Amino acid sequence: MSSKPIGIFDSGVGGLSIWKEIQDLLPLESTLYLSDSKHAPYGPKGQKAILKLSIKNTEYLIDQGCKLIVVACNTATTNAIDYLRTNYSVPFIGIEPAIKPAALKSKTKSVGILATKGTLSSHLFHKTSRIYSNDLVVIEQVGDGIVELIEQGELNSKKMRNLLSTYLNPMIKAEIDYLVLGCTHYHFLMPILKELLPSNVNIIDSAKAVARQTKSVLKLNKLSNNVREKGSSQFYTNGTQTVIADLLKFENVMLEKLDF
Ligand code: DGL
């Protein structure tokens, strides 16, 4: 079992940010990444639809023999991870907006969260947010349209800049000193976000934390790969290959189109 791959899925290319951290931290592990770009964005869909897609992705990865699954999508995690953990025997790692570190570190007591509608309206997000937002102003902003642009490869277009300015300006006015990225796709916007935000605003992205958590859950379940050779990385997408291929261009990986 320990030489089997780690399965990673997202609604598209966003989870590649997590794949990269996992690969850097756990080079001996093989990974299988599933990009469900055909059904992106998940964010505006209802809970039932997000759950259905998450089940489909999970079952595909389990059928491929994955020993652990990383739900590299905040929207799928907040809407489906409880169900997945209850109904499948493989361990799951998820990702949620990291409101806790932002709340604990904020000096201005004003924090921004940029995430999808599906994440911000989920029960799981509300539960966490309630615990940490007592003495805090939390500006929640749905990132409508951002995932679609990233899936089209528009990481730095005029349209993207305008959209981000519209979403960030109220946060800047409210003097946030932390911006929590609540969607794995937004990782790729780090350079423009830094440009658009005042220099005192810290951006929290949880990709590294997810990789560390993956490492400890593998260990705990005695699933770490003990074969002393570098793992392989395989990518499947059911959307167009251009954007994913471009984001992976410096990596030595296998990319395949999947009818899914
Ligand atoms: N990467 C997904 C997330 O973290 C994007 C969701 C979407 O497809 O709208 O939420």
Side-chain angles (χ1 to χ4, degrees):
M1 188 59 160
S2 59
S3 63
K4 299 275 188 195
I6 295 172
I8 304 170
F9 78 81
D10 180 36
S11 63
V13 297
L16 293 181
S17 51
I18 292 180
W19 166 78
K20 181 80 183 114
E21 296 298 341
I22 290 179
Q23 208 231 11
D24 287 352
L25 187 68
L26 302 164
L28 304 185
E29 299 293 341
S30 290
T31 53
L32 204 162
Y33 185 95
L34 180 60
S35 165
D36 188 20
S37 294
K38 193 164 105 185
H39 300 108
Y42 282 10
K45 300 188 198 305
Q47 203 252 340
K48 263 195 184 150
I50 298 166
L51 179 61
K52 208 170 152 195
L53 291 166
S54 303
I55 291 172
K56 195 170 161 210
N57 297 337
T58 296
E59 292 188 349
Y60 180 80
L61 293 172
I62 290 176
D63 284 349
Q64 302 301 307
C66 292
K67 59 183 176 183
L68 172 145
I69 292 177
V70 179
V71 182
C73 174
N74 292 258
T75 312
T77 300
T78 50
N79 285 277
I81 203 149
D82 288 345
Y83 179 93
L84 299 177
R85 286 192 169 127
T86 312
N87 288 279
Y88 300 93
S89 58
V90 292
F92 286 88
I93 311 290
I95 179 163
E96 283 177 68
I99 187 164
K100 182 180 171 183
L104 297 177
K105 288 182 193 160
S106 173
K107 290 198 175 73
T108 59
K109 292 291 163 202
S110 180
V111 162
I113 301 184
L114 190 60
T116 69
K117 180 166 172 263
T119 294
L120 293 176
S121 59
S122 69
H123 175 67
L124 197 57
F125 174 75
H126 281 287
K127 213 169 96 186
T128 319
S129 164
R130 230 179 292 129
I131 301 173
Y132 297 105
S133 54
N134 255 345
D135 60 337
L136 207 64
V137 175
V138 181
I139 315 230
E140 294 177 14
Q141 175 64 56
V142 173
D144 264 338
I146 300 180
V147 168
E148 289 91 322
L149 287 179
I150 294 175
E151 286 293 313
Q152 287 157 24
E154 284 197 40
L155 299 183
N156 196 1
S157 64
K158 193 154 184 259
K159 225 171 169 182
M160 178 65 92
R161 281 173 175 269
N162 289 341
L163 204 55
L164 287 177
S165 295
T166 311
Y167 295 155
L168 297 177
N169 284 343
M171 298 190 189
I172 297 171
K173 270 204 189 116
E175 298 185 341
I176 61 158
D177 59 354
Y178 277 85
L179 171 67
V180 178
L181 300 188
C183 170
T184 51
H185 279 75
Y186 303 167
H187 169 91
F188 297 108
L189 303 176
M190 206 61 104
I192 344 179
L193 289 170
K194 282 186 181 155
E195 247 179 68
L196 295 173
L197 287 165
S199 58
N200 71 313
V201 178
N202 302 283
I203 303 174
I204 301 196
D205 172 50
S206 315
K208 276 195 168 50
V210 173
R212 286 195 298 271
Q213 178 69 0
T214 304
K215 185 177 179 181
S216 60
V217 172
L218 282 176
K219 238 187 184 165
L220 196 73
N221 289 277
K222 300 196 170 31
L223 288 171
S224 308
N225 191 9
N226 35 35
V227 179
R228 297 261 129 218
E229 66 186 52
K230 200 171 164 7
S232 64
S233 301
Q234 188 137 18
F235 293 81
Y236 293 119
T237 181
N238 55 10
T240 55
Q241 279 176 290
T242 342
V243 178
I244 190 164
D246 196 44
L247 290 169
L248 290 169
K249 65 179 175 253
F250 300 115
E251 312 284 348
N252 181 20
V253 297
M254 291 168 270
L255 171 62
E256 277 175 49
K257 172 98 173 128
L258 193 70
D259 200 14
F260 183 72

mmCIF file with all atom_site columns, all heavy atoms in Angstrom, residues 94-114:
data_model
loop_
_atom_site.group_PDB
_atom_site.id
_atom_site.type_symbol
_atom_site.label_atom_id
_atom_site.label_alt_id
_atom_site.label_comp_id
_atom_site.label_asym_id
_atom_site.label_entity_id
_atom_site.label_seq_id
_atom_site.pdbx_PDB_ins_code
_atom_site.Cartn_x
_atom_site.Cartn_y
_atom_site.Cartn_z
_atom_site.occupancy
_atom_site.B_iso_or_equiv
_atom_site.pdbx_formal_charge
_atom_site.auth_seq_id
_atom_site.auth_comp_id
_atom_site.auth_asym_id
_atom_site.auth_atom_id
_atom_site.pdbx_PDB_model_num
ATOM 1   N N   . GLY A 1 94  ? -8.036  17.959 3.878  1.00 0.00 ? 94  GLY A N   1
ATOM 2   C CA  . GLY A 1 94  ? -8.790  19.014 3.197  1.00 0.00 ? 94  GLY A CA  1
ATOM 3   C C   . GLY A 1 94  ? -8.127  20.360 3.376  1.00 0.00 ? 94  GLY A C   1
ATOM 4   O O   . GLY A 1 94  ? -7.097  20.488 4.036  1.00 0.00 ? 94  GLY A O   1
ATOM 5   N N   . ILE A 1 95  ? -8.722  21.374 2.778  1.00 0.00 ? 95  ILE A N   1
ATOM 6   C CA  . ILE A 1 95  ? -8.217  22.742 2.948  1.00 0.00 ? 95  ILE A CA  1
ATOM 7   C C   . ILE A 1 95  ? -9.395  23.683 3.172  1.00 0.00 ? 95  ILE A C   1
ATOM 8   O O   . ILE A 1 95  ? -10.400 23.604 2.474  1.00 0.00 ? 95  ILE A O   1
ATOM 9   C CB  . ILE A 1 95  ? -7.349  23.182 1.733  1.00 0.00 ? 95  ILE A CB  1
ATOM 10  C CG1 . ILE A 1 95  ? -6.861  24.624 1.919  1.00 0.00 ? 95  ILE A CG1 1
ATOM 11  C CG2 . ILE A 1 95  ? -8.069  23.052 0.397  1.00 0.00 ? 95  ILE A CG2 1
ATOM 12  C CD1 . ILE A 1 95  ? -5.700  25.004 1.016  1.00 0.00 ? 95  ILE A CD1 1
ATOM 13  N N   . GLU A 1 96  ? -9.243  24.521 4.201  1.00 0.00 ? 96  GLU A N   1
ATOM 14  C CA  . GLU A 1 96  ? -10.292 25.502 4.537  1.00 0.00 ? 96  GLU A CA  1
ATOM 15  C C   . GLU A 1 96  ? -9.643  26.867 4.678  1.00 0.00 ? 96  GLU A C   1
ATOM 16  O O   . GLU A 1 96  ? -8.453  26.942 4.994  1.00 0.00 ? 96  GLU A O   1
ATOM 17  C CB  . GLU A 1 96  ? -10.873 25.170 5.912  1.00 0.00 ? 96  GLU A CB  1
ATOM 18  C CG  . GLU A 1 96  ? -11.819 24.034 5.960  1.00 0.00 ? 96  GLU A CG  1
ATOM 19  C CD  . GLU A 1 96  ? -12.238 23.815 7.418  1.00 0.00 ? 96  GLU A CD  1
ATOM 20  O OE1 . GLU A 1 96  ? -12.933 24.681 7.979  1.00 0.00 ? 96  GLU A OE1 1
ATOM 21  O OE2 . GLU A 1 96  ? -11.839 22.791 7.982  1.00 0.00 ? 96  GLU A OE2 1
ATOM 22  N N   . PRO A 1 97  ? -10.397 27.955 4.505  1.00 0.00 ? 97  PRO A N   1
ATOM 23  C CA  . PRO A 1 97  ? -9.785  29.283 4.689  1.00 0.00 ? 97  PRO A CA  1
ATOM 24  C C   . PRO A 1 97  ? -9.154  29.393 6.078  1.00 0.00 ? 97  PRO A C   1
ATOM 25  O O   . PRO A 1 97  ? -9.792  29.086 7.083  1.00 0.00 ? 97  PRO A O   1
ATOM 26  C CB  . PRO A 1 97  ? -10.977 30.239 4.557  1.00 0.00 ? 97  PRO A CB  1
ATOM 27  C CG  . PRO A 1 97  ? -11.992 29.479 3.765  1.00 0.00 ? 97  PRO A CG  1
ATOM 28  C CD  . PRO A 1 97  ? -11.806 28.031 4.124  1.00 0.00 ? 97  PRO A CD  1
ATOM 29  N N   . ALA A 1 98  ? -7.889  29.830 6.116  1.00 0.00 ? 98  ALA A N   1
ATOM 30  C CA  . ALA A 1 98  ? -7.127  29.835 7.373  1.00 0.00 ? 98  ALA A CA  1
ATOM 31  C C   . ALA A 1 98  ? -7.441  31.077 8.201  1.00 0.00 ? 98  ALA A C   1
ATOM 32  O O   . ALA A 1 98  ? -6.591  31.942 8.409  1.00 0.00 ? 98  ALA A O   1
ATOM 33  C CB  . ALA A 1 98  ? -5.643  29.750 7.062  1.00 0.00 ? 98  ALA A CB  1
ATOM 34  N N   . ILE A 1 99  ? -8.641  31.137 8.687  1.00 0.00 ? 99  ILE A N   1
ATOM 35  C CA  . ILE A 1 99  ? -9.068  32.312 9.456  1.00 0.00 ? 99  ILE A CA  1
ATOM 36  C C   . ILE A 1 99  ? -8.382  32.368 10.830 1.00 0.00 ? 99  ILE A C   1
ATOM 37  O O   . ILE A 1 99  ? -8.103  33.440 11.353 1.00 0.00 ? 99  ILE A O   1
ATOM 38  C CB  . ILE A 1 99  ? -10.611 32.350 9.556  1.00 0.00 ? 99  ILE A CB  1
ATOM 39  C CG1 . ILE A 1 99  ? -11.070 33.646 10.212 1.00 0.00 ? 99  ILE A CG1 1
ATOM 40  C CG2 . ILE A 1 99  ? -11.204 31.148 10.220 1.00 0.00 ? 99  ILE A CG2 1
ATOM 41  C CD1 . ILE A 1 99  ? -12.530 33.946 10.016 1.00 0.00 ? 99  ILE A CD1 1
ATOM 42  N N   . LYS A 1 100 ? -8.061  31.190 11.375 1.00 0.00 ? 100 LYS A N   1
ATOM 43  C CA  . LYS A 1 100 ? -7.469  31.154 12.720 1.00 0.00 ? 100 LYS A CA  1
ATOM 44  C C   . LYS A 1 100 ? -6.140  31.935 12.822 1.00 0.00 ? 100 LYS A C   1
ATOM 45  O O   . LYS A 1 100 ? -6.042  32.853 13.649 1.00 0.00 ? 100 LYS A O   1
ATOM 46  C CB  . LYS A 1 100 ? -7.289  29.697 13.167 1.00 0.00 ? 100 LYS A CB  1
ATOM 47  C CG  . LYS A 1 100 ? -6.722  29.560 14.558 1.00 0.00 ? 100 LYS A CG  1
ATOM 48  C CD  . LYS A 1 100 ? -6.568  28.112 14.951 1.00 0.00 ? 100 LYS A CD  1
ATOM 49  C CE  . LYS A 1 100 ? -5.798  27.976 16.243 1.00 0.00 ? 100 LYS A CE  1
ATOM 50  N NZ  . LYS A 1 100 ? -5.580  26.565 16.603 1.00 0.00 ? 100 LYS A NZ  1
ATOM 51  N N   . PRO A 1 101 ? -5.121  31.607 11.998 1.00 0.00 ? 101 PRO A N   1
ATOM 52  C CA  . PRO A 1 101 ? -3.872  32.375 12.128 1.00 0.00 ? 101 PRO A CA  1
ATOM 53  C C   . PRO A 1 101 ? -4.060  33.861 11.866 1.00 0.00 ? 101 PRO A C   1
ATOM 54  O O   . PRO A 1 101 ? -3.440  34.701 12.517 1.00 0.00 ? 101 PRO A O   1
ATOM 55  C CB  . PRO A 1 101 ? -2.932  31.745 11.084 1.00 0.00 ? 101 PRO A CB  1
ATOM 56  C CG  . PRO A 1 101 ? -3.793  30.901 10.215 1.00 0.00 ? 101 PRO A CG  1
ATOM 57  C CD  . PRO A 1 101 ? -5.015  30.544 11.000 1.00 0.00 ? 101 PRO A CD  1
ATOM 58  N N   . ALA A 1 102 ? -4.953  34.196 10.925 1.00 0.00 ? 102 ALA A N   1
ATOM 59  C CA  . ALA A 1 102 ? -5.191  35.616 10.632 1.00 0.00 ? 102 ALA A CA  1
ATOM 60  C C   . ALA A 1 102 ? -5.796  36.301 11.854 1.00 0.00 ? 102 ALA A C   1
ATOM 61  O O   . ALA A 1 102 ? -5.364  37.385 12.251 1.00 0.00 ? 102 ALA A O   1
ATOM 62  C CB  . ALA A 1 102 ? -6.112  35.745 9.419  1.00 0.00 ? 102 ALA A CB  1
ATOM 63  N N   . ALA A 1 103 ? -6.761  35.653 12.462 1.00 0.00 ? 103 ALA A N   1
ATOM 64  C CA  . ALA A 1 103 ? -7.437  36.236 13.632 1.00 0.00 ? 103 ALA A CA  1
ATOM 65  C C   . ALA A 1 103 ? -6.458  36.411 14.792 1.00 0.00 ? 103 ALA A C   1
ATOM 66  O O   . ALA A 1 103 ? -6.478  37.421 15.485 1.00 0.00 ? 103 ALA A O   1
ATOM 67  C CB  . ALA A 1 103 ? -8.597  35.338 14.051 1.00 0.00 ? 103 ALA A CB  1
ATOM 68  N N   . LEU A 1 104 ? -5.594  35.423 14.980 1.00 0.00 ? 104 LEU A N   1
ATOM 69  C CA  . LEU A 1 104 ? -4.674  35.488 16.109 1.00 0.00 ? 104 LEU A CA  1
ATOM 70  C C   . LEU A 1 104 ? -3.575  36.531 15.911 1.00 0.00 ? 104 LEU A C   1
ATOM 71  O O   . LEU A 1 104 ? -3.094  37.126 16.865 1.00 0.00 ? 104 LEU A O   1
ATOM 72  C CB  . LEU A 1 104 ? -4.043  34.114 16.376 1.00 0.00 ? 104 LEU A CB  1
ATOM 73  C CG  . LEU A 1 104 ? -5.050  33.006 16.781 1.00 0.00 ? 104 LEU A CG  1
ATOM 74  C CD1 . LEU A 1 104 ? -4.334  31.678 16.959 1.00 0.00 ? 104 LEU A CD1 1
ATOM 75  C CD2 . LEU A 1 104 ? -5.803  33.391 18.057 1.00 0.00 ? 104 LEU A CD2 1
ATOM 76  N N   . LYS A 1 105 ? -3.186  36.758 14.643 1.00 0.00 ? 105 LYS A N   1
ATOM 77  C CA  . LYS A 1 105 ? -2.045  37.652 14.399 1.00 0.00 ? 105 LYS A CA  1
ATOM 78  C C   . LYS A 1 105 ? -2.447  39.083 14.060 1.00 0.00 ? 105 LYS A C   1
ATOM 79  O O   . LYS A 1 105 ? -1.614  39.983 14.130 1.00 0.00 ? 105 LYS A O   1
ATOM 80  C CB  . LYS A 1 105 ? -1.207  37.097 13.248 1.00 0.00 ? 105 LYS A CB  1
ATOM 81  C CG  . LYS A 1 105 ? -0.417  35.848 13.633 1.00 0.00 ? 105 LYS A CG  1
ATOM 82  C CD  . LYS A 1 105 ? 0.403   35.420 12.436 1.00 0.00 ? 105 LYS A CD  1
ATOM 83  C CE  . LYS A 1 105 ? 0.973   34.039 12.568 1.00 0.00 ? 105 LYS A CE  1
ATOM 84  N NZ  . LYS A 1 105 ? 1.340   33.460 11.279 1.00 0.00 ? 105 LYS A NZ  1
ATOM 85  N N   . SER A 1 106 ? -3.682  39.301 13.664 1.00 0.00 ? 106 SER A N   1
ATOM 86  C CA  . SER A 1 106 ? -4.070  40.628 13.186 1.00 0.00 ? 106 SER A CA  1
ATOM 87  C C   . SER A 1 106 ? -3.915  41.708 14.267 1.00 0.00 ? 106 SER A C   1
ATOM 88  O O   . SER A 1 106 ? -4.379  41.537 15.399 1.00 0.00 ? 106 SER A O   1
ATOM 89  C CB  . SER A 1 106 ? -5.521  40.610 12.694 1.00 0.00 ? 106 SER A CB  1
ATOM 90  O OG  . SER A 1 106 ? -5.919  41.918 12.385 1.00 0.00 ? 106 SER A OG  1
ATOM 91  N N   . LYS A 1 107 ? -3.279  42.803 13.895 1.00 0.00 ? 107 LYS A N   1
ATOM 92  C CA  . LYS A 1 107 ? -3.117  43.916 14.845 1.00 0.00 ? 107 LYS A CA  1
ATOM 93  C C   . LYS A 1 107 ? -4.229  44.935 14.650 1.00 0.00 ? 107 LYS A C   1
ATOM 94  O O   . LYS A 1 107 ? -4.681  45.566 15.589 1.00 0.00 ? 107 LYS A O   1
ATOM 95  C CB  . LYS A 1 107 ? -1.753  44.585 14.611 1.00 0.00 ? 107 LYS A CB  1
ATOM 96  C CG  . LYS A 1 107 ? -0.597  43.697 15.037 1.00 0.00 ? 107 LYS A CG  1
ATOM 97  C CD  . LYS A 1 107 ? 0.684   44.519 15.207 1.00 0.00 ? 107 LYS A CD  1
ATOM 98  C CE  . LYS A 1 107 ? 1.803   43.671 15.738 1.00 0.00 ? 107 LYS A CE  1
ATOM 99  N NZ  . LYS A 1 107 ? 2.332   42.734 14.718 1.00 0.00 ? 107 LYS A NZ  1
ATOM 100 N N   . THR A 1 108 ? -4.665  45.067 13.382 1.00 0.00 ? 108 THR A N   1
ATOM 101 C CA  . THR A 1 108 ? -5.726  46.052 13.116 1.00 0.00 ? 108 THR A CA  1
ATOM 102 C C   . THR A 1 108 ? -7.100  45.483 13.485 1.00 0.00 ? 108 THR A C   1
ATOM 103 O O   . THR A 1 108 ? -8.090  46.195 13.484 1.00 0.00 ? 108 THR A O   1
ATOM 104 C CB  . THR A 1 108 ? -5.757  46.445 11.619 1.00 0.00 ? 108 THR A CB  1
ATOM 105 O OG1 . THR A 1 108 ? -5.985  45.256 10.845 1.00 0.00 ? 108 THR A OG1 1
ATOM 106 C CG2 . THR A 1 108 ? -4.463  47.090 11.180 1.00 0.00 ? 108 THR A CG2 1
ATOM 107 N N   . LYS A 1 109 ? -7.109  44.182 13.771 1.00 0.00 ? 109 LYS A N   1
ATOM 108 C CA  . LYS A 1 109 ? -8.358  43.464 14.088 1.00 0.00 ? 109 LYS A CA  1
ATOM 109 C C   . LYS A 1 109 ? -9.355  43.573 12.933 1.00 0.00 ? 109 LYS A C   1
ATOM 110 O O   . LYS A 1 109 ? -10.573 43.666 13.126 1.00 0.00 ? 109 LYS A O   1
ATOM 111 C CB  . LYS A 1 109 ? -8.983  43.975 15.401 1.00 0.00 ? 109 LYS A CB  1
ATOM 112 C CG  . LYS A 1 109 ? -8.144  43.632 16.623 1.00 0.00 ? 109 LYS A CG  1
ATOM 113 C CD  . LYS A 1 109 ? -8.183  42.130 16.862 1.00 0.00 ? 109 LYS A CD  1
ATOM 114 C CE  . LYS A 1 109 ? -7.077  41.656 17.766 1.00 0.00 ? 109 LYS A CE  1
ATOM 115 N NZ  . LYS A 1 109 ? -6.761  40.251 17.615 1.00 0.00 ? 109 LYS A NZ  1
ATOM 116 N N   . SER A 1 110 ? -8.810  43.572 11.743 1.00 0.00 ? 110 SER A N   1
ATOM 117 C CA  . SER A 1 110 ? -9.617  43.621 10.534 1.00 0.00 ? 110 SER A CA  1
ATOM 118 C C   . SER A 1 110 ? -8.969  42.677 9.520  1.00 0.00 ? 110 SER A C   1
ATOM 119 O O   . SER A 1 110 ? -7.782  42.804 9.215  1.00 0.00 ? 110 SER A O   1
ATOM 120 C CB  . SER A 1 110 ? -9.636  45.071 10.026 1.00 0.00 ? 110 SER A CB  1
ATOM 121 O OG  . SER A 1 110 ? -10.397 45.163 8.862  1.00 0.00 ? 110 SER A OG  1
ATOM 122 N N   . VAL A 1 111 ? -9.760  41.702 9.072  1.00 0.00 ? 111 VAL A N   1
ATOM 123 C CA  . VAL A 1 111 ? -9.206  40.631 8.241  1.00 0.00 ? 111 VAL A CA  1
ATOM 124 C C   . VAL A 1 111 ? -10.109 40.420 7.020  1.00 0.00 ? 111 VAL A C   1
ATOM 125 O O   . VAL A 1 111 ? -11.338 40.482 7.139  1.00 0.00 ? 111 VAL A O   1
ATOM 126 C CB  . VAL A 1 111 ? -9.157  39.336 9.104  1.00 0.00 ? 111 VAL A CB  1
ATOM 127 C CG1 . VAL A 1 111 ? -9.021  38.100 8.251  1.00 0.00 ? 111 VAL A CG1 1
ATOM 128 C CG2 . VAL A 1 111 ? -8.026  39.405 10.121 1.00 0.00 ? 111 VAL A CG2 1
ATOM 129 N N   . GLY A 1 112 ? -9.494  40.184 5.863  1.00 0.00 ? 112 GLY A N   1
ATOM 130 C CA  . GLY A 1 112 ? -10.285 39.927 4.658  1.00 0.00 ? 112 GLY A CA  1
ATOM 131 C C   . GLY A 1 112 ? -10.223 38.456 4.270  1.00 0.00 ? 112 GLY A C   1
ATOM 132 O O   . GLY A 1 112 ? -9.201  37.802 4.472  1.00 0.00 ? 112 GLY A O   1
ATOM 133 N N   . ILE A 1 113 ? -11.341 37.955 3.745  1.00 0.00 ? 113 ILE A N   1
ATOM 134 C CA  . ILE A 1 113 ? -11.334 36.574 3.231  1.00 0.00 ? 113 ILE A CA  1
ATOM 135 C C   . ILE A 1 113 ? -11.907 36.595 1.822  1.00 0.00 ? 113 ILE A C   1
ATOM 136 O O   . ILE A 1 113 ? -13.026 37.072 1.602  1.00 0.00 ? 113 ILE A O   1
ATOM 137 C CB  . ILE A 1 113 ? -12.200 35.631 4.091  1.00 0.00 ? 113 ILE A CB  1
ATOM 138 C CG1 . ILE A 1 113 ? -11.682 35.641 5.524  1.00 0.00 ? 113 ILE A CG1 1
ATOM 139 C CG2 . ILE A 1 113 ? -12.190 34.198 3.530  1.00 0.00 ? 113 ILE A CG2 1
ATOM 140 C CD1 . ILE A 1 113 ? -12.382 34.687 6.426  1.00 0.00 ? 113 ILE A CD1 1
ATOM 141 N N   . LEU A 1 114 ? -11.118 36.092 0.895  1.00 0.00 ? 114 LEU A N   1
ATOM 142 C CA  . LEU A 1 114 ? -11.563 36.004 -0.487 1.00 0.00 ? 114 LEU A CA  1
ATOM 143 C C   . LEU A 1 114 ? -11.753 34.513 -0.778 1.00 0.00 ? 114 LEU A C   1
ATOM 144 O O   . LEU A 1 114 ? -10.816 33.728 -0.654 1.00 0.00 ? 114 LEU A O   1
ATOM 145 C CB  . LEU A 1 114 ? -10.479 36.614 -1.393 1.00 0.00 ? 114 LEU A CB  1
ATOM 146 C CG  . LEU A 1 114 ? -10.807 36.843 -2.852 1.00 0.00 ? 114 LEU A CG  1
ATOM 147 C CD1 . LEU A 1 114 ? -11.984 37.783 -3.025 1.00 0.00 ? 114 LEU A CD1 1
ATOM 148 C CD2 . LEU A 1 114 ? -9.581  37.436 -3.580 1.00 0.00 ? 114 LEU A CD2 1
#
